[in-house]
Amino acid sequence: MALATRTDRRPSFARTVWDSTVGKKTVMAVSGLIMLLYLVVHMIGNLKIFFGAGEFNAYAHWLRVVGEPFMHYEWTLWLVRIVLVVAVVAHATSAYQLSRRDIRARPSKYVHKKARASYATRTMRWGGVILGLFIVWHILDLTTGTVHSGGFQEGHPYQNVVDTFSTWYGNIVYIVAMLALGLHVRHGFWSAAQTLGAGSRTRDRALKTVAGVLALLLTAGFIAVPVGVMTGVVS
């Protein structure tokens, strides 16, 4: 009599974690914090535009040679880009799957909406969609120059930024996206802290304050650039 063989295999630890709700929330939190760190650095770099074309263009060039001679030209920049792409994909995928799981768990809408749900909480999903579309537009505008107005100039980021924010639609797209970013950061930072175990009854107020201040600084810092161009401070 032949012995039956077991063909089923236990899922890997990584697969088990990913399939769990806690695992997806953890991936979403960690990837969100990675992107948040990038945003802070990116905003600080953007503000160099107020010191003139020479300093801003020099900063853009430095981003491509950082790490030399150990790293080849643009290797560090591409490494950062790869990490960001992985973080964005992981964040978006976990957010989408958690959303679908939540919908399946309660197929009918609540009779009464949660009164305490903030505007940022209710618009997190749409905010994510807006930011995703903005990232695509932003890359096509200032990285590849595909949709850039005024003639894209390779190696002249200062002039490219001025060209973009010299158009009404460039300002509208950017400012709307940054407002959505502020709401996303405000709710996302606090949610990430809760997921990673940093939150508590005594620390919640402080974490919410930090989230609000961080969201406000990022929004104001990014919007300062198009406002600077519109008012002639940057020209």
Side-chain angles (χ1 to χ4, degrees), residues 115-190:
R116 297 182 63 185
S118 67
Y119 181 78
T121 302
R122 295 195 302 269
T123 57
M124 276 296 281
R125 292 168 187 169
W126 282 112
V129 173
I130 291 172
L131 291 173
L133 293 174
F134 169 74
I135 289 172
V136 174
W137 177 83
H138 196 53
I139 291 173
L140 292 176
D141 179 32
L142 292 175
T143 301
T144 66
T146 306
V147 298
H148 185 74
S149 61
F152 184 77
Q153 300 180 49
E154 186 71 36
H156 295 82
Y158 181 94
Q159 190 58 49
N160 292 333
V161 170
V162 171
D163 288 342
T164 289
F165 297 130
S166 295
T167 63
W168 64 267
Y169 58 85
N171 288 312
I172 290 177
V173 169
Y174 194 85
I175 291 174
V176 168
M178 292 307 101
L179 292 174
L181 173 67
L183 291 174
H184 210 78
V185 168
R186 180 174 176 269
H187 178 73
F189 179 83
W190 183 81

Side-chain angles (χ1 to χ4, degrees), residues 58-122:
Y59 164 69
H61 175 71
W62 173 82
L63 290 176
R64 287 158 174 76
V65 300
V66 63
E68 289 187 346
F70 179 74
M71 300 291 282
H72 194 60
Y73 182 76
E74 285 196 344
W75 278 13
T76 302
L77 182 60
W78 274 106
L79 182 61
V80 172
R81 286 170 174 169
I82 291 170
V83 171
L84 282 173
V85 168
V86 172
V88 169
V89 172
H91 195 77
T93 302
S94 56
Y96 173 77
Q97 293 184 0
L98 284 169
S99 177
R100 297 301 301 173
R101 183 171 293 182
D102 184 50
I103 291 173
R104 287 195 299 268
R106 46 182 179 83
S108 58
K109 293 183 178 179
Y110 290 122
V111 176
H112 301 289
K113 293 182 179 179
K114 293 182 180 180
R116 297 182 63 185
S118 67
Y119 181 78
T121 302
R122 295 195 302 269

Side-chain angles (χ1 to χ4, degrees), residues 1-43:
M1 182 176 178
L3 296 175
T5 58
R6 291 179 61 88
T7 57
D8 56 321
R9 289 166 44 180
R10 300 179 68 179
S12 65
F13 175 75
R15 182 68 186 184
T16 301
V17 171
W18 172 250
D19 287 341
S20 68
T21 298
V22 173
K24 291 183 188 299
K25 287 184 176 181
T26 301
V27 170
M28 193 172 176
V30 173
S31 59
L33 291 176
I34 290 173
M35 290 186 289
L36 180 59
L37 176 61
Y38 167 78
L39 286 171
V40 172
V41 175
H42 187 44
M43 180 202 69

